[in-house]
Each structure stands twice: as C-alpha cells, then as structure tokens.
Amino acid sequence: MYALIYDRFEPAEVEKEVISVHKTRKTAEKALKERQDKLGRRVWECNTRIVWVYDRVNAGDKLTGKSFDTWAPGEEIPMGDRVPDGD
C-alpha cells in the first residue's frame, strides 16, 4: 500500500506522520497533486512524499524508516530516479 507522509527531510526527525493511504501509486500521485493545489505550493514545498508501506497503516499513524520505502518491491523505478543528483 502507498501512503503520503509528512516529511521535512530532517535526519533528526525519526517518525513520519501518515497523511493519507492509497492502494495504488496513481491514486497517491493524484492525492499529492490535490494537496499541492490546496496548499498553493510546489510539490517540494509541501513537505509531502509518496512511500510504499510494508504494513497496514491509517492516516495519522507514525512511521519509522524501517516501515516504508520510496518504491514498492518489484516496482519499476523511473530512469530519472535511478541516478543520484550529484557525482
């Protein structure tokens, strides 16, 4: 299952709050776009990202790094996300 999580990308912030839960990446992407539009911000300014969650969760739950990953097992990773930004 996919989830939108609140993530300010701060290493000291161990737990991430679940904003919403989705069955597919497509519906999670739609929810992220709706959140972006609602907040009137670009996606990186929303402090929100889509993750694959290993166990069942609900909105409002807290996740630790071991319970989610950026991509689902076996999910095709887009070419642009395979290469790091820096050297």
Side-chain angles (χ1 to χ4, degrees):
M1 105 178 32
Y2 294 89
L4 292 185
I5 61 169
Y6 183 73
D7 188 3
R8 295 184 303 164
F9 300 100
E10 293 188 21
E13 198 175 90
V14 177
E15 293 185 332
K16 311 295 183 183
E17 181 178 353
V18 176
I19 297 169
S20 60
V21 180
H22 308 274
K23 290 183 179 182
T24 67
R25 182 170 290 276
K26 185 174 181 175
T27 57
E29 287 172 351
K30 181 179 177 187
L32 180 58
K33 174 73 171 125
E34 288 172 1
R35 179 172 168 78
Q36 177 184 347
D37 293 346
K38 179 182 173 184
L39 296 174
R41 298 180 177 173
R42 294 182 174 121
V43 70
W44 59 87
E45 296 172 324
C46 293
N47 295 318
T48 307
R49 68 180 175 129
I50 300 170
V51 296
W52 169 258
V53 182
Y54 292 105
D55 297 318
R56 187 168 291 280
V57 295
N58 296 302
D61 288 353
K62 303 284 185 176
L63 299 177
T64 61
K66 293 180 181 180
S67 57
F68 66 89
D69 205 338
T70 302
W71 302 99
E75 184 175 16
E76 185 174 336
I77 302 170
M79 182 59 79
D81 290 337
R82 293 185 207 173
V83 181
D85 291 336
D87 292 345

Short mmCIF file of all heavy atoms in Angstrom, two decimals, residues 41-84:
data_model
loop_
_atom_site.label_atom_id
_atom_site.label_comp_id
_atom_site.label_asym_id
_atom_site.label_seq_id
_atom_site.Cartn_x
_atom_site.Cartn_y
_atom_site.Cartn_z
N ARG A 41 1.28 25.36 -3.31
CA ARG A 41 2.74 25.25 -3.29
C ARG A 41 3.19 24.21 -4.30
O ARG A 41 2.43 23.35 -4.73
CB ARG A 41 3.22 24.81 -1.91
CG ARG A 41 2.88 25.78 -0.83
CD ARG A 41 3.39 25.29 0.48
NE ARG A 41 3.10 26.29 1.51
CZ ARG A 41 3.30 26.09 2.78
NH1 ARG A 41 3.79 24.95 3.21
NH2 ARG A 41 3.03 27.03 3.64
N ARG A 42 4.48 24.28 -4.63
CA ARG A 42 5.08 23.24 -5.47
C ARG A 42 5.24 21.99 -4.63
O ARG A 42 5.27 22.05 -3.40
CB ARG A 42 6.42 23.72 -6.00
CG ARG A 42 6.28 24.89 -6.93
CD ARG A 42 7.63 25.30 -7.46
NE ARG A 42 7.48 26.33 -8.45
CZ ARG A 42 8.03 27.53 -8.35
NH1 ARG A 42 8.78 27.84 -7.32
NH2 ARG A 42 7.83 28.42 -9.29
N VAL A 43 5.40 20.86 -5.29
CA VAL A 43 5.43 19.58 -4.58
C VAL A 43 6.54 19.54 -3.52
O VAL A 43 6.33 19.05 -2.42
CB VAL A 43 5.52 18.39 -5.57
CG1 VAL A 43 6.86 18.32 -6.25
CG2 VAL A 43 5.20 17.09 -4.87
N TRP A 44 7.72 20.07 -3.81
CA TRP A 44 8.81 20.00 -2.84
C TRP A 44 8.60 20.98 -1.69
O TRP A 44 9.24 20.85 -0.66
CB TRP A 44 10.17 20.24 -3.51
CG TRP A 44 10.29 21.55 -4.20
CD1 TRP A 44 10.68 22.74 -3.64
CD2 TRP A 44 10.01 21.84 -5.56
NE1 TRP A 44 10.66 23.74 -4.57
CE2 TRP A 44 10.26 23.22 -5.77
CE3 TRP A 44 9.59 21.07 -6.64
CZ2 TRP A 44 10.08 23.84 -7.00
CZ3 TRP A 44 9.42 21.70 -7.86
CH2 TRP A 44 9.67 23.05 -8.03
N GLU A 45 7.69 21.94 -1.83
CA GLU A 45 7.39 22.87 -0.76
C GLU A 45 6.29 22.35 0.17
O GLU A 45 6.04 22.95 1.20
CB GLU A 45 6.95 24.21 -1.35
CG GLU A 45 8.01 24.91 -2.16
CD GLU A 45 7.50 26.14 -2.88
OE1 GLU A 45 6.34 26.13 -3.35
OE2 GLU A 45 8.27 27.10 -2.98
N CYS A 46 5.67 21.25 -0.20
CA CYS A 46 4.57 20.68 0.60
C CYS A 46 5.07 19.78 1.72
O CYS A 46 4.27 19.34 2.55
CB CYS A 46 3.63 19.88 -0.30
SG CYS A 46 2.72 20.87 -1.48
N ASN A 47 6.37 19.46 1.73
CA ASN A 47 6.93 18.54 2.73
C ASN A 47 6.15 17.23 2.77
O ASN A 47 5.89 16.67 3.83
CB ASN A 47 6.96 19.18 4.13
CG ASN A 47 7.88 20.37 4.18
OD1 ASN A 47 8.97 20.34 3.62
ND2 ASN A 47 7.45 21.42 4.84
N THR A 48 5.77 16.77 1.60
CA THR A 48 4.98 15.56 1.47
C THR A 48 5.60 14.68 0.40
O THR A 48 6.06 15.18 -0.61
CB THR A 48 3.53 15.91 1.05
OG1 THR A 48 3.02 16.88 1.96
CG2 THR A 48 2.65 14.69 1.05
N ARG A 49 5.60 13.37 0.65
CA ARG A 49 6.08 12.47 -0.40
C ARG A 49 5.32 11.16 -0.35
O ARG A 49 4.70 10.81 0.65
CB ARG A 49 7.58 12.24 -0.30
CG ARG A 49 8.04 11.47 0.90
CD ARG A 49 9.57 11.34 0.82
NE ARG A 49 10.10 10.70 2.00
CZ ARG A 49 10.92 9.67 1.98
NH1 ARG A 49 11.31 9.15 0.84
NH2 ARG A 49 11.38 9.16 3.10
N ILE A 50 5.39 10.44 -1.47
CA ILE A 50 4.74 9.14 -1.59
C ILE A 50 5.73 8.06 -1.21
O ILE A 50 6.88 8.08 -1.64
CB ILE A 50 4.27 8.90 -3.04
CG1 ILE A 50 3.26 9.98 -3.45
CG2 ILE A 50 3.67 7.50 -3.19
CD1 ILE A 50 2.93 9.98 -4.93
N VAL A 51 5.28 7.12 -0.38
CA VAL A 51 6.12 5.98 0.00
C VAL A 51 5.32 4.69 -0.08
O VAL A 51 4.09 4.70 -0.05
CB VAL A 51 6.69 6.14 1.44
CG1 VAL A 51 7.62 7.33 1.53
CG2 VAL A 51 5.59 6.23 2.47
N TRP A 52 6.03 3.57 -0.20
CA TRP A 52 5.45 2.24 -0.11
C TRP A 52 5.54 1.83 1.35
O TRP A 52 6.61 1.92 1.97
CB TRP A 52 6.21 1.25 -0.99
CG TRP A 52 5.81 -0.16 -0.73
CD1 TRP A 52 6.51 -1.08 0.00
CD2 TRP A 52 4.62 -0.81 -1.16
NE1 TRP A 52 5.81 -2.26 0.04
CE2 TRP A 52 4.65 -2.12 -0.66
CE3 TRP A 52 3.53 -0.40 -1.91
CZ2 TRP A 52 3.63 -3.03 -0.92
CZ3 TRP A 52 2.51 -1.31 -2.15
CH2 TRP A 52 2.57 -2.60 -1.66
N VAL A 53 4.42 1.39 1.92
CA VAL A 53 4.38 0.99 3.33
C VAL A 53 4.25 -0.52 3.41
O VAL A 53 3.41 -1.12 2.74
CB VAL A 53 3.19 1.67 4.06
CG1 VAL A 53 3.18 1.30 5.52
CG2 VAL A 53 3.25 3.18 3.88
N TYR A 54 5.11 -1.15 4.22
CA TYR A 54 5.13 -2.61 4.31
C TYR A 54 3.96 -3.18 5.11
O TYR A 54 3.49 -4.27 4.83
CB TYR A 54 6.46 -3.07 4.93
CG TYR A 54 7.62 -2.81 4.01
CD1 TYR A 54 8.51 -1.77 4.25
CD2 TYR A 54 7.83 -3.58 2.87
CE1 TYR A 54 9.57 -1.51 3.39
CE2 TYR A 54 8.88 -3.34 2.00
CZ TYR A 54 9.76 -2.30 2.28
OH TYR A 54 10.79 -2.05 1.42
N ASP A 55 3.48 -2.47 6.12
CA ASP A 55 2.37 -2.95 6.94
C ASP A 55 1.17 -2.02 6.78
O ASP A 55 1.29 -0.89 6.32
CB ASP A 55 2.79 -2.98 8.42
CG ASP A 55 3.93 -3.96 8.67
OD1 ASP A 55 3.90 -5.07 8.10
OD2 ASP A 55 4.85 -3.60 9.43
N ARG A 56 0.01 -2.50 7.20
CA ARG A 56 -1.21 -1.71 7.11
C ARG A 56 -1.11 -0.51 8.05
O ARG A 56 -0.71 -0.64 9.20
CB ARG A 56 -2.41 -2.58 7.48
CG ARG A 56 -3.74 -1.90 7.26
CD ARG A 56 -4.87 -2.88 7.36
NE ARG A 56 -4.91 -3.84 6.25
CZ ARG A 56 -5.39 -3.57 5.04
NH1 ARG A 56 -5.83 -2.38 4.76
NH2 ARG A 56 -5.41 -4.49 4.11
N VAL A 57 -1.47 0.68 7.53
CA VAL A 57 -1.45 1.91 8.32
C VAL A 57 -2.71 2.72 8.05
O VAL A 57 -3.45 2.43 7.10
CB VAL A 57 -0.21 2.79 8.00
CG1 VAL A 57 1.06 2.10 8.39
CG2 VAL A 57 -0.19 3.21 6.55
N ASN A 58 -2.92 3.72 8.87
CA ASN A 58 -4.04 4.64 8.72
C ASN A 58 -3.53 6.07 8.77
O ASN A 58 -2.45 6.32 9.33
CB ASN A 58 -5.06 4.44 9.85
CG ASN A 58 -5.69 3.07 9.82
OD1 ASN A 58 -6.30 2.70 8.82
ND2 ASN A 58 -5.54 2.31 10.89
N ALA A 59 -4.31 6.99 8.24
CA ALA A 59 -3.95 8.41 8.32
C ALA A 59 -3.79 8.77 9.80
O ALA A 59 -4.56 8.33 10.64
CB ALA A 59 -5.03 9.26 7.68
N GLY A 60 -2.73 9.53 10.10
CA GLY A 60 -2.45 9.93 11.48
C GLY A 60 -1.44 9.05 12.18
O GLY A 60 -0.86 9.44 13.19
N ASP A 61 -1.21 7.83 11.65
CA ASP A 61 -0.20 6.94 12.24
C ASP A 61 1.18 7.54 12.03
O ASP A 61 1.39 8.37 11.15
CB ASP A 61 -0.25 5.56 11.59
CG ASP A 61 -1.45 4.73 11.98
OD1 ASP A 61 -2.21 5.16 12.88
OD2 ASP A 61 -1.65 3.66 11.38
N LYS A 62 2.13 7.08 12.83
CA LYS A 62 3.53 7.49 12.70
C LYS A 62 4.33 6.32 12.15
O LYS A 62 4.14 5.17 12.57
CB LYS A 62 4.11 7.92 14.05
CG LYS A 62 3.37 9.03 14.73
CD LYS A 62 3.66 10.35 14.09
CE LYS A 62 2.97 11.45 14.90
NZ LYS A 62 3.26 12.75 14.42
N LEU A 63 5.23 6.58 11.21
CA LEU A 63 6.07 5.55 10.62
C LEU A 63 7.53 5.82 10.94
O LEU A 63 7.95 6.97 11.03
CB LEU A 63 5.93 5.55 9.09
CG LEU A 63 4.56 5.28 8.50
CD1 LEU A 63 4.63 5.40 6.98
CD2 LEU A 63 4.08 3.91 8.88
N THR A 64 8.30 4.75 11.07
CA THR A 64 9.75 4.88 11.18
C THR A 64 10.34 4.42 9.85
O THR A 64 9.66 3.80 9.04
CB THR A 64 10.31 4.02 12.32
OG1 THR A 64 10.01 2.65 12.06
CG2 THR A 64 9.73 4.43 13.67
N GLY A 65 11.60 4.73 9.62
CA GLY A 65 12.26 4.42 8.35
C GLY A 65 12.22 2.97 7.95
O GLY A 65 12.25 2.65 6.76
N LYS A 66 12.14 2.05 8.90
CA LYS A 66 12.12 0.62 8.58
C LYS A 66 10.77 0.15 8.06
O LYS A 66 10.68 -0.93 7.49
CB LYS A 66 12.48 -0.19 9.83
CG LYS A 66 13.90 0.01 10.28
CD LYS A 66 14.19 -0.82 11.50
CE LYS A 66 15.62 -0.60 11.96
NZ LYS A 66 15.95 -1.37 13.15
N SER A 67 9.73 0.95 8.22
CA SER A 67 8.39 0.50 7.84
C SER A 67 7.95 1.00 6.46
O SER A 67 6.86 0.69 6.02
CB SER A 67 7.37 0.91 8.90
OG SER A 67 7.39 2.31 9.10
N PHE A 68 8.81 1.76 5.78
CA PHE A 68 8.44 2.23 4.44
C PHE A 68 9.67 2.36 3.57
O PHE A 68 10.80 2.34 4.04
CB PHE A 68 7.69 3.57 4.51
CG PHE A 68 8.52 4.73 5.00
CD1 PHE A 68 9.25 5.50 4.11
CD2 PHE A 68 8.54 5.08 6.34
CE1 PHE A 68 10.00 6.58 4.54
CE2 PHE A 68 9.28 6.15 6.79
CZ PHE A 68 10.01 6.90 5.89
N ASP A 69 9.42 2.47 2.26
CA ASP A 69 10.49 2.66 1.28
C ASP A 69 9.93 3.56 0.18
O ASP A 69 8.72 3.71 0.04
CB ASP A 69 10.91 1.31 0.69
CG ASP A 69 12.33 1.33 0.16
OD1 ASP A 69 12.84 2.43 -0.14
OD2 ASP A 69 12.90 0.25 0.04
N THR A 70 10.81 4.12 -0.63
CA THR A 70 10.36 5.01 -1.70
C THR A 70 9.61 4.24 -2.77
O THR A 70 8.63 4.73 -3.32
CB THR A 70 11.57 5.74 -2.33
OG1 THR A 70 12.24 6.46 -1.28
CG2 THR A 70 11.14 6.69 -3.41
N TRP A 71 10.04 3.03 -3.07
CA TRP A 71 9.43 2.23 -4.14
C TRP A 71 8.95 0.90 -3.60
O TRP A 71 9.57 0.31 -2.72
CB TRP A 71 10.44 2.00 -5.26
CG TRP A 71 10.94 3.30 -5.81
CD1 TRP A 71 12.12 3.92 -5.50
CD2 TRP A 71 10.26 4.18 -6.68
NE1 TRP A 71 12.21 5.11 -6.15
CE2 TRP A 71 11.08 5.30 -6.89
CE3 TRP A 71 9.03 4.12 -7.33
CZ2 TRP A 71 10.72 6.37 -7.71
CZ3 TRP A 71 8.67 5.18 -8.16
CH2 TRP A 71 9.51 6.28 -8.34
N ALA A 72 7.86 0.41 -4.17
CA ALA A 72 7.33 -0.90 -3.80
C ALA A 72 8.25 -1.99 -4.32
O ALA A 72 8.92 -1.80 -5.34
CB ALA A 72 5.93 -1.08 -4.38
N PRO A 73 8.30 -3.14 -3.65
CA PRO A 73 9.10 -4.25 -4.17
C PRO A 73 8.66 -4.61 -5.60
O PRO A 73 7.47 -4.77 -5.86
CB PRO A 73 8.80 -5.40 -3.20
CG PRO A 73 8.35 -4.73 -1.94
CD PRO A 73 7.64 -3.49 -2.39
N GLY A 74 9.62 -4.67 -6.52
CA GLY A 74 9.33 -5.01 -7.90
C GLY A 74 8.79 -3.88 -8.75
O GLY A 74 8.59 -4.04 -9.95
N GLU A 75 8.55 -2.73 -8.15
CA GLU A 75 8.03 -1.59 -8.91
C GLU A 75 9.13 -1.03 -9.82
O GLU A 75 10.29 -0.93 -9.42
CB GLU A 75 7.58 -0.50 -7.93
CG GLU A 75 6.93 0.69 -8.58
CD GLU A 75 6.39 1.68 -7.56
OE1 GLU A 75 6.75 1.62 -6.37
OE2 GLU A 75 5.60 2.53 -7.97
N GLU A 76 8.76 -0.69 -11.04
CA GLU A 76 9.73 -0.14 -11.97
C GLU A 76 10.07 1.29 -11.56
O GLU A 76 9.20 2.14 -11.42
CB GLU A 76 9.19 -0.14 -13.40
CG GLU A 76 10.21 0.32 -14.41
CD GLU A 76 9.72 0.18 -15.83
OE1 GLU A 76 8.84 -0.65 -16.09
OE2 GLU A 76 10.23 0.93 -16.67
N ILE A 77 11.35 1.55 -11.35
CA ILE A 77 11.82 2.87 -10.93
C ILE A 77 12.12 3.69 -12.18
O ILE A 77 12.88 3.25 -13.04
CB ILE A 77 13.07 2.75 -10.05
CG1 ILE A 77 12.76 1.89 -8.83
CG2 ILE A 77 13.58 4.12 -9.64
CD1 ILE A 77 13.98 1.50 -8.01
N PRO A 78 11.53 4.88 -12.30
CA PRO A 78 11.79 5.71 -13.48
C PRO A 78 13.27 6.03 -13.60
O PRO A 78 13.98 6.19 -12.61
CB PRO A 78 10.99 7.00 -13.19
CG PRO A 78 9.97 6.60 -12.20
CD PRO A 78 10.58 5.50 -11.38
N MET A 79 13.76 6.13 -14.83
CA MET A 79 15.18 6.36 -15.10
C MET A 79 15.71 7.59 -14.35
O MET A 79 16.79 7.57 -13.81
CB MET A 79 15.43 6.52 -16.60
CG MET A 79 16.88 6.70 -16.96
SD MET A 79 17.95 5.33 -16.43
CE MET A 79 17.60 4.15 -17.70
N GLY A 80 14.94 8.65 -14.30
CA GLY A 80 15.37 9.88 -13.63
C GLY A 80 15.60 9.71 -12.14
O GLY A 80 16.31 10.49 -11.53
N ASP A 81 14.98 8.70 -11.53
CA ASP A 81 15.15 8.46 -10.10
C ASP A 81 16.21 7.42 -9.80
O ASP A 81 16.51 7.17 -8.65
CB ASP A 81 13.81 8.02 -9.48
CG ASP A 81 12.81 9.15 -9.43
OD1 ASP A 81 13.25 10.32 -9.45
OD2 ASP A 81 11.60 8.87 -9.35
N ARG A 82 16.78 6.81 -10.82
CA ARG A 82 17.82 5.78 -10.62
C ARG A 82 19.20 6.37 -10.42
O ARG A 82 20.04 5.75 -9.81
CB ARG A 82 17.88 4.84 -11.81
CG ARG A 82 16.67 3.99 -11.97
CD ARG A 82 16.90 3.02 -13.11
NE ARG A 82 15.61 2.67 -13.67
CZ ARG A 82 15.47 1.96 -14.75
NH1 ARG A 82 16.52 1.54 -15.42
NH2 ARG A 82 14.29 1.66 -15.20
N VAL A 83 19.42 7.55 -10.96
CA VAL A 83 20.74 8.16 -10.91
C VAL A 83 20.74 9.26 -9.86
O VAL A 83 19.86 10.12 -9.85
CB VAL A 83 21.10 8.75 -12.30
CG1 VAL A 83 22.48 9.38 -12.29
CG2 VAL A 83 20.99 7.69 -13.36
N PRO A 84 21.73 9.28 -8.96
CA PRO A 84 21.79 10.33 -7.96
C PRO A 84 21.98 11.72 -8.59
O PRO A 84 22.52 11.84 -9.70
CB PRO A 84 23.00 9.99 -7.10
CG PRO A 84 23.56 8.74 -7.66
CD PRO A 84 22.80 8.32 -8.85
#
